[in-house]
């Protein structure tokens, strides 16, 4: 029983008020007020509404029944719990008071145990009503899902903590037809089933709510507004060709469309309600029969994402149609640039309309999607096939460098491919290049995987040193054998003294760590001459050899 409750005694008998106050104090209640008649009691209740009113039935002027009737007609007072108190204990009077909304009826003089029990019961009922009210104010009664208010509250809290987020609004465009054809309960059941489906398929989803009669909304924290986000929403709604067999009914039968509003974003609303309204409006406007049924609410973001999605789809189809190919760029010793001592396997896409495309023209569109790992696996499998085919004629120190991302390494698929497909005698000819423009999310796991590669006898190289993620701190944390210096530190070193000194210090640092150095992007004789003076061991670049198809490269290998 909460002693913080406010109690108002309304009684014309001063002695009765005194005894009730005394007993309430003994029960531990500190907030007790008094009124000597009905009019003063109503005024006091309006000024500072109590949790419980102890109301005398028989009073001059406005009696207890009149006060109770007035309270139940007043919007500000109708929720106050009233215990009627009377010296005239008749069933008729008690029944009348209960019918008017009194919680209970006590006879004077009020006994302490009975007063304690009645007040405890009233406070418990108030607590349960408050719980019910809180539930109803934050949940949809038809689906038992959180409602729009609950979603907005959660979004506002996340915005206050400066966490990036996305609000997804999903419109069920056949909701009205389903409700008319069957009943509203079945239409609501679908929304509940869809909400459960979303939460089961996407662990990152924070809150799923019913935000309108025919709409669900859900909150996703810590996301970026890119094509991967679009693809994940498409997949969970069953709108993509690769959705599971159970999912398509969700999108086709119910004509689902979705819009994603992200925050923060340039020009995006800073208010949670406006952000959700933006997503809802765009979802409602999206054509359920159109090609784009999941869109970003921001038109500027939508344009770039649309391009990336098109590339993703075409590349996925190109992978199935065997449009990908490996080119090989030779790596030479600075002291002998006639025969390659190694090569780098580079991906090319034989696009049916645009011709041969280098990775810079398409990989950015998929680097944060699962397709990137599939491409990495394809590259590794093809590189191993080539390496095994060449192995009988390779010099002992020849190494083929193959680029992988930390995400692909973490998946375990590449390690499985290497363990199964690469014969042990050939492993010394493979160098895995870790190439990342972003920070490795799990450094310990990545380090352990790279060490496992070295244990297998596979060489490990850190690509593009000096740019993006490939910094000095990562060289010290990640086990590697070779450091490849990015081309940006080579251009113009024959004329730029400062750049030459920087490159010299990088080469010296690598030597002190026991690392082999390969300098990329050598395109001019003057640059090669400077690298010879600096004592660089290996170089790669258009000056000595461009990326070539396998057959052309093999002519230089022998």
């Amino acid at each position: 029983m909460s002693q913080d409750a406010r109690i108002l005694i309304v009684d014309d008998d001063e002695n009765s008020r005194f005894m009730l106050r005394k007993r309430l104090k003994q029960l531990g209640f500190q907030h007790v007020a008094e009124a000597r008649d009905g009019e003063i009691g109503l005024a006091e209740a309006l000024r500072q509404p109590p949790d419980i009113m102890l109301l005398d039935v028989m009073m001059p002027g406005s009696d207890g029944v009149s006060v109770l009737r007035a309270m139940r007609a007043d919007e500000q007072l109708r929720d106050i719990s009233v215990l009627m108190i009377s010296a005239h204990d008749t069933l008729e009077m008690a029944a009348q008071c209960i019918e008017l909304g009194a919680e209970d009826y006590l006879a004077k003089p009020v006994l302490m145990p009975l007063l304690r029990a009645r007040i405890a019961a009233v406070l418990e009922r108030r607590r349960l009503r408050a719980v019910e009210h809180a539930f109803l104010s934050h949940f949809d009664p038809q689906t038992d899902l959180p409602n729009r208010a609950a979603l907005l509250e959660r979004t506002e809290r996340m915005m206050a903590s400066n966490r990036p987020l996305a609000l997804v609004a999903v419109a069920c465009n056949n909701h009205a037809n389903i409700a008319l054809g069957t009943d509203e309960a079945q239409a609501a059941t679908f929304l509940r089933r869809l909400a459960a489906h979303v939460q089961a398929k996407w662990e990152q989803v924070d809150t799923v709510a019913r935000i309108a009669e025919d709409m669900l909304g859900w909150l996703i924290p810590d996301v970026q507004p890119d094509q991967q986000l679009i693809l994940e929403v498409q997949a969970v709604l069953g709108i993509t060709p690769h959705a599971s067999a159970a999912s398509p009914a969700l999108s086709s039968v119910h004509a689902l469309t979705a819009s994603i509003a992200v925050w923060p974003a340039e020009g995006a609303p800073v208010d949670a309600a406006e952000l959700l309204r933006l997503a809802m409006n765009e979802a409602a406007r999206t054509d359920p029969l159109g090609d784009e049924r999941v869109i970003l609410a921001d038109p500027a973001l939508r344009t770039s994402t649309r391009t990336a999605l098109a590339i993703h789809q075409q590349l996925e189809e190109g992978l199935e149609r065997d449009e990908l190919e490996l080119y090989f760029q030779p790596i030479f010793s600075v002291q002998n640039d006639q025969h390659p001592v190694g090569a780098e396997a580079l991906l090319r896409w034989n696009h049916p309309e645009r011709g041969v495309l280098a990775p810079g023209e398409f990989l950015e569109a998929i680097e944060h999607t699962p397709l990137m790992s599939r491409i990495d696996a394809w590259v590794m499998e093809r590189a191993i096939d080539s390496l095994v085919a060449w192995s009988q004629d390779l010099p002992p120190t020849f190494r083929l460098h193959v680029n992988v991302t930390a995400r692909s390494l973490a998946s375990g698929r590449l390690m499985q491919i290497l363990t199964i497909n690469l014969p042990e005698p050939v492993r010394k000819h493979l160098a895995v290049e870790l190439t990342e423009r972003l920070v490795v999310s799990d450094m310990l796991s990545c380090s352990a995987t790279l060490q496992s590669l070295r244990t297998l006898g596979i060489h490990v190289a850190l690509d593009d040193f000096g740019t993006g993620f490939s910094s000095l701190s990562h060289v010290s944390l990640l086990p590697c054998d070779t450091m490849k210096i990015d081309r940006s530190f080579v251009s113009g070193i024959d004329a730029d003294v400062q750049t030459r000194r920087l490159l010299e210090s990088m080469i010296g640092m690598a030597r002190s760590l026991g690392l082999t150095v390969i300098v990329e992007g050598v395109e001019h004789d003057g640059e090669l001459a400077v690298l010879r003076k600096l004592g660089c061991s290996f170089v790669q670049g258009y000056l000595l050899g461009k990326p070539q198809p396998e057959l052309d490269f093999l002519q230089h290998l022998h």
Side-chain angles (χ1 to χ4, degrees):
M1 183 168 63
S2 174
Q3 277 74 32
D4 292 330
R6 304 188 69 86
I7 300 177
L8 174 61
I9 303 169
V10 182
D11 197 322
D12 64 311
D13 187 333
E14 186 176 355
N15 289 331
S16 294
R17 296 200 306 272
F18 174 79
M19 291 305 298
L20 283 172
R21 174 187 281 273
K22 180 180 178 180
R23 287 170 180 170
L24 290 170
K25 293 289 186 181
Q26 290 172 343
L27 291 174
F29 293 101
Q30 301 300 317
H31 307 290
V32 180
E34 297 180 24
R36 65 176 181 270
D37 60 41
E39 291 184 5
I40 296 175
L42 286 172
E44 179 65 19
L46 284 169
R47 187 186 70 81
Q48 193 168 28
D51 296 298
I52 299 175
M53 180 185 287
L54 300 179
L55 180 59
D56 187 23
V57 174
M58 304 299 293
M59 291 185 296
S62 297
D63 62 13
V65 174
S66 300
V67 171
L68 182 58
R69 187 178 286 111
M71 290 177 67
R72 293 306 176 241
D74 190 296
E75 186 173 349
Q76 290 181 260
L77 303 178
R78 65 180 51 162
D79 291 330
I80 296 174
S81 298
V82 177
L83 284 174
M84 303 302 293
I85 299 174
S86 177
H88 304 282
D89 188 11
T90 66
L91 289 176
E92 292 80 6
M93 182 60 71
Q96 182 183 5
C97 292
I98 297 299
E99 287 174 0
L100 286 173
E103 296 274 352
D104 213 330
Y105 193 96
L106 299 174
K108 291 183 178 180
V110 180
L111 302 176
M112 176 72 84
L114 194 58
L115 181 63
R116 179 193 297 114
R118 293 293 194 268
I119 290 179
V122 169
L123 290 176
E124 177 61 14
R125 285 197 291 270
R126 287 182 64 84
R127 187 190 69 80
L128 293 175
R129 283 199 296 268
V131 170
E132 182 182 15
H133 177 74
F135 178 84
L136 293 176
S137 66
H138 287 79
F139 286 84
D140 173 59
Q142 289 183 314
T143 61
D144 291 337
L145 293 171
N147 60 15
R148 185 171 175 171
L151 180 63
L152 288 176
E153 282 188 18
R154 180 63 179 155
T155 304
E156 287 167 357
R157 287 198 295 270
M158 202 165 289
M159 283 180 162
S161 65
N162 289 319
R163 291 178 68 184
L165 58 88
L167 279 176
V168 182
V170 179
C172 174
N173 293 279
N174 279 349
H175 184 91
N177 293 335
I178 294 171
L180 289 173
T182 54
D183 55 43
E184 177 60 34
Q186 184 166 336
T189 297
F190 165 71
L191 293 179
R192 186 168 57 248
R193 185 164 60 91
L194 176 58
H197 174 81
V198 170
Q199 291 173 313
K201 293 293 183 180
W202 200 348
E203 292 183 359
Q204 194 176 354
V205 170
D206 182 277
T207 303
V208 181
R210 187 179 189 179
I211 55 177
E213 184 181 21
D214 59 349
M215 276 194 181
L216 284 185
W218 68 79
L219 172 64
I220 316 168
D222 307 319
V223 292
Q224 296 298 322
D226 57 19
Q227 65 277 11
Q228 175 60 14
L229 182 56
I230 296 280
L231 290 169
E232 288 176 336
V233 174
Q234 286 179 339
V236 81
L237 294 178
I239 291 176
T240 61
H242 300 286
S244 65
S247 295
L250 294 174
S251 60
S252 58
V253 174
H254 298 275
L256 299 181
T257 55
S259 175
I260 307 166
V262 295
W263 183 90
E266 187 176 351
V270 295
D271 176 76
E274 286 296 320
L275 192 69
L276 181 58
R277 191 175 297 116
L278 173 65
M280 293 173 68
N281 288 341
E282 291 297 314
R285 292 169 50 188
T286 302
D287 183 2
L289 300 178
D291 293 332
E292 291 182 292
R293 288 188 284 156
V294 177
I295 64 170
L296 287 172
D298 186 332
L301 292 172
R302 194 183 308 160
T303 300
S304 59
T305 304
R306 183 182 292 124
T307 301
L309 282 170
I311 292 174
H312 184 284
Q313 182 178 353
Q314 293 171 16
L315 184 57
E316 197 167 26
E317 294 170 352
L319 180 62
E320 300 296 330
R321 292 197 295 258
D322 202 25
E323 293 173 359
L324 302 185
E325 181 181 1
L326 287 186
Y327 275 39
F328 300 89
Q329 184 175 27
I331 298 172
F332 293 92
S333 166
V334 170
Q335 307 306 322
N336 180 4
D337 57 13
Q338 300 301 311
H339 298 287
V341 295
E344 181 176 357
L346 298 168
L347 181 64
R348 293 294 184 267
W349 180 11
N350 294 308
H351 194 282
E353 298 172 359
R354 299 169 59 193
V356 179
L357 301 181
E361 298 182 72
F362 58 88
L363 280 190
E364 186 176 356
I366 69 162
E367 63 182 344
H368 300 298
T369 75
L371 182 56
M372 187 71 245
S373 294
R374 291 178 58 198
I375 296 293
D376 275 349
W378 183 93
V379 169
M380 185 61 73
E381 288 173 344
R382 294 302 181 275
I384 289 174
D385 289 344
S386 296
L387 197 55
V388 170
W390 307 342
S391 60
Q392 297 300 320
D393 301 318
L394 291 177
T397 58
F398 182 94
R399 287 194 183 94
L400 178 63
H401 290 244
V402 181
N403 292 296
V404 300
T405 62
R407 179 174 178 174
S408 294
L409 278 177
S411 71
R413 173 66 178 141
L414 287 180
M415 183 63 74
Q416 184 181 32
I417 292 171
L418 290 167
T419 305
I420 296 175
N421 295 15
L422 186 62
E424 187 172 350
V426 185
R427 291 175 183 173
K428 64 181 180 180
H429 294 299
L430 179 66
V432 170
E433 285 190 15
L434 183 63
T435 174
E436 285 288 317
R437 290 188 298 172
L438 305 174
V439 175
V440 176
S441 58
D442 189 345
M443 188 64 70
L444 289 177
S445 176
C446 183
S447 178
T449 303
L450 293 179
Q451 188 57 53
S452 297
L453 291 175
R454 298 176 80 194
T455 302
L456 288 175
I458 296 170
H459 206 74
V460 173
L462 190 62
D463 195 19
D464 296 333
F465 180 80
T467 66
F469 124 98
S470 300
S471 64
L472 179 59
S473 61
H474 292 92
V475 171
S476 62
L477 290 172
L478 297 174
C480 56
D481 306 290
T482 295
M483 186 173 78
K484 296 189 75 175
I485 297 178
D486 186 71
R487 67 186 65 190
S488 60
F489 296 96
V490 179
S491 180
I493 57 171
D494 49 339
D496 189 332
V497 176
Q498 191 171 10
T499 302
R500 185 162 63 248
R501 287 174 179 169
L502 178 59
L503 183 60
E504 184 177 12
S505 66
M506 294 170 72
I507 293 173
M509 181 202 68
R511 283 177 176 167
S512 69
L513 294 173
L515 301 177
T516 302
V517 176
I518 300 175
V519 176
E520 301 177 293
V522 181
E523 297 185 356
H524 304 288
D525 289 325
E527 295 168 352
L528 182 59
V530 171
L531 291 171
R532 284 197 177 103
K533 290 180 182 179
L534 295 179
C536 177
S537 301
F538 301 101
V539 291
Q540 178 181 349
Y542 276 35
L543 174 66
L544 300 174
K546 297 180 179 180
Q548 304 166 344
E550 184 171 2
L551 292 178
D552 295 337
F553 170 74
L554 288 176
Q555 294 179 7
H556 297 280
L557 188 59
H558 301 301

